[in-house]
Amino acid sequence: MKQYQSASKFISLVLRHRPEIIGVRLEYHGAWAPVKAVLRGAKLTMEELELIVESDAKGRYSFNEDKTKIRANQGHSVEVDLGLAPAQPPEKLYHGTVGRFLGGIQKEGLRAGERQFVHLSADVETALSVGRRRGKPVVIQIAAGRMYEDGYQFFLSANGVWMTKEAPAAYLKI
Ligand code: HQG
């Protein structure tokens, strides 16, 4: 889907971070944007948008039932409530990053930064590819089971990304 890569990037920008660039507001409950406005803003046909959604390698986007609305499944910096129920995580989760962030992570734990959540992966392979976006990847192991027992909430996005508000350093194996 090389030819749609830039359209997909634009959609991700709109649906996660900057809906205002096409004059849209995301619904707080559900993070939905109107499909019509997205088509107009991204200069795409419905068929093209459907193809982008269906072929996205990470399953980043979902339509609502009647395909009048679209949302990103995770990754938002806009304040929205995806309406996900808290879920029990596996004992271990993983976070892919790069060496230059390790000092800060050791000091402050994993922070959500611009986004609403810290993003965690269920397997090392996925975490490696997340880290690789920024350079030589480093994978941190998170004692998610222990965090959960201690009362931290976890959410699983529709496309398999585990999310939590923060992961204090005491739960990290760096
Ligand atoms: C780092 C992609 C210093 C953290 C991926 C990361 C993911 C700290 C960066 C999704 C820190 C934030 C999210 C601390 C965390 N001090 N650095 N205390 N705590 N960091 O992009 O997890 O392709 O917001 O390690 O696949 O890299 O866009 O998070 O490097 O699922 O669909 O701060 O984005 O998905 O970066 O990536 P990000 P992320 P998409």
Side-chain angles (χ1 to χ4, degrees):
M1 280 306 108
K2 193 96 186 129
Q3 70 271 36
Y4 289 124
Q5 219 170 356
S6 66
S8 176
K9 280 217 151 88
F10 182 73
I11 288 164
S12 156
L13 178 71
V14 166
L15 296 182
R16 289 170 170 176
H17 309 298
R18 302 204 44 209
E20 73 280 2
I21 62 179
I22 59 161
V24 158
R25 272 182 70 94
L26 303 187
E27 286 175 28
Y28 175 75
H29 291 289
W32 299 105
V35 163
K36 269 190 190 164
V38 172
L39 294 177
R40 205 181 320 116
K43 299 189 175 65
L44 292 170
T45 65
M46 183 61 181
E47 290 67 34
E48 288 171 328
L49 185 62
E50 284 175 328
L51 197 60
I52 288 169
V53 171
E54 283 157 21
S55 63
D56 188 87
K58 290 186 178 175
R60 290 182 178 88
Y61 320 107
S62 295
F63 286 112
N64 68 342
E65 230 161 75
D66 63 5
K67 293 196 173 174
T68 54
K69 298 178 188 182
I70 184 169
R71 74 175 175 192
N73 289 320
Q74 37 69 229
H76 300 83
S77 57
V78 173
E79 207 199 317
V80 287
D81 179 6
L82 286 166
L84 298 172
Q88 182 169 359
E91 208 48 46
K92 304 285 176 215
L93 284 170
Y94 304 91
H95 177 83
T97 188
V98 282
R100 66 180 185 276
F101 293 148
L102 291 182
I105 293 171
Q106 245 145 2
K107 212 161 89 199
E108 308 171 337
L110 287 171
R111 303 269 293 260
E114 296 292 305
R115 301 196 199 243
Q116 287 199 295
F117 294 102
V118 171
H119 287 223
L120 305 171
S121 311
D123 59 273
V124 174
E125 215 29 66
T126 308
L128 279 169
S129 66
V130 172
R132 218 170 271 130
R133 286 152 58 237
R134 299 204 157 82
K136 188 168 174 280
V138 176
V139 172
I140 297 171
Q141 192 185 81
I142 294 98
R146 203 149 53 76
M147 281 180 70
Y148 183 75
E149 279 166 27
D150 292 348
Y152 290 85
Q153 282 197 330
F154 286 80
F155 302 90
L156 180 59
S157 77
N159 60 335
V161 178
W162 282 95
M163 302 180 293
T164 189
K165 280 286 173 197
E166 54 167 335
Y171 299 97
L172 309 179
K173 198 194 255 178
I174 302 181

